[in-house]
Amino acid sequence: EVRLVESGGGLVQPGGSLRLSCSASGFTFRTSWMSWVRQVPGKGLEWVANMNDDGRERYYVDSVKGRFTISRDNAKNTLYLQMDSLRAEDTAVYYCGRDPKHGSIDYWGQGTQLTVSS
Amino acid sequence: DVVMTQSPLSLPVTLGQPASISCRSSQSLLSSDGNTYLTWFQQRPGRSPRRLIYEVSNRDSGVPGRFSGSGSDTDFTLEISRVEADDVGVYFCMQGTFWPHTFGQGTNLEIK
């Protein structure tokens, strides 16, 4: 059974940092593209970042470029999202997902809530 | 960025009746590899999104046959042949042809 479990969310002050983790099981993580998508509760979905299997290709939405870094540890089957210089508008539920092809996420985690507030 | 526009945003449907959601993109989603990367997701209340349809018309395993996707170029449709109570939720289209991938605003399907 495929499982994706996000962790690391919480309450952070503006300008602060946080690292999200996504632990994967039930599929071959090391050969999979992976993505982060966020959702403001009650609102729509926004693609944040994704990366290829070996980490050489990474893509970010403009609003997080230079502040967020996607990375992975294939030995630990874990995806990360390092978030720096956080802003109130980054407040959202963050989902990780397996991305088999062009953003078509076939498995999603349960999400982790990030709140940026003073 | 490619803008994805869904309509309607709210869709009240009587049980057993059909439903249709439109999704239009601001530019053609036909990729240079010949594929069209348009995906439909369902998000039930309080749940994570779930993929229903990928590459316009390919239904995921486990997705009931009453769901179907169609379209091309900039105009796409998700149809539910006979709505069931289990179908309540928000439906999103998403394009994966261009980076950044972008979603439609979502269509809230509810039972009348």
Side-chain angles (χ1 to χ4, degrees):
Chain A
E1 179 196 3
V2 171
R3 284 198 76 202
L4 295 167
V5 180
E6 301 95 338
S7 60
L11 174 62
V12 183
Q13 290 190 338
S17 298
L18 206 64
R19 188 178 80 160
L20 305 182
S21 300
C22 170
S23 177
S25 60
F27 66 99
T28 308
F29 180 80
R30 67 179 183 276
T31 62
S32 300
W33 278 75
M34 296 295 294
S35 294
W36 288 99
V37 175
R38 66 186 179 184
Q39 183 174 36
V40 175
K43 303 291 185 183
L45 296 160
E46 180 183 40
W47 213 276
V48 175
N50 69 353
M51 73 188 304
N52 75 329
D53 53 356
D54 65 9
R56 294 185 185 184
E57 293 184 58
R58 310 182 194 199
Y59 299 92
Y60 300 92
V61 69
D62 281 351
S63 58
V64 308
K65 273 182 191 173
R67 301 188 300 121
F68 289 14
T69 304
I70 188 173
S71 64
R72 63 194 296 159
D73 185 335
N74 286 343
K76 295 182 177 179
N77 286 354
T78 302
L79 178 74
Y80 302 101
L81 186 68
Q82 176 66 41
M83 304 180 293
D84 299 318
S85 303
L86 283 163
R87 306 167 181 167
E89 54 264 36
D90 296 319
T91 295
V93 174
Y94 285 73
Y95 296 100
C96 71
R98 186 180 82 162
D99 184 349
K101 196 174 186 182
H102 284 263
S104 189
I105 293 179
D106 57 355
Y107 292 102
W108 296 69
Q110 85 288 351
T112 187
Q113 173 75 48
L114 167 69
T115 302
V116 183
S117 175
S118 55
Chain B
D1 297 358
V2 176
V3 177
M4 305 296 290
T5 304
Q6 288 183 230
S7 63
L9 300 185
S10 179
L11 183 56
V13 184
T14 301
L15 286 173
Q17 292 301 300
S20 180
I21 300 171
S22 170
C23 175
R24 290 193 166 93
S25 57
S26 59
Q27 58 191 92
S28 174
L29 299 186
L30 178 62
S31 175
S32 56
D33 64 9
N35 294 315
T36 299
Y37 296 106
L38 188 284
T39 303
W40 289 98
F41 297 98
Q42 174 197 59
Q43 188 173 31
R44 291 174 172 143
R47 303 291 297 274
S48 301
R50 168 200 183 196
R51 192 178 74 177
L52 297 176
I53 304 280
Y54 62 96
E55 291 177 37
V56 181
S57 59
N58 295 285
R59 194 168 50 242
D60 269 273
S61 66
V63 174
R66 63 180 183 277
F67 289 90
S68 64
S70 63
S72 63
D73 197 25
T74 62
D75 198 352
F76 304 93
T77 302
L78 175 70
E79 294 184 319
I80 309 173
S81 58
R82 292 174 303 280
V83 169
E84 298 186 4
D86 203 35
D87 300 335
V88 166
V90 182
Y91 292 79
F92 296 93
C93 62
M94 186 222 73
Q95 68 80 19
T97 300
F98 302 98
W99 184 259
H101 305 324
T102 45
F103 292 88
Q105 316 96 301
T107 294
N108 185 31
L109 187 150
E110 60 182 33
I111 304 301
K112 262 190 210 173

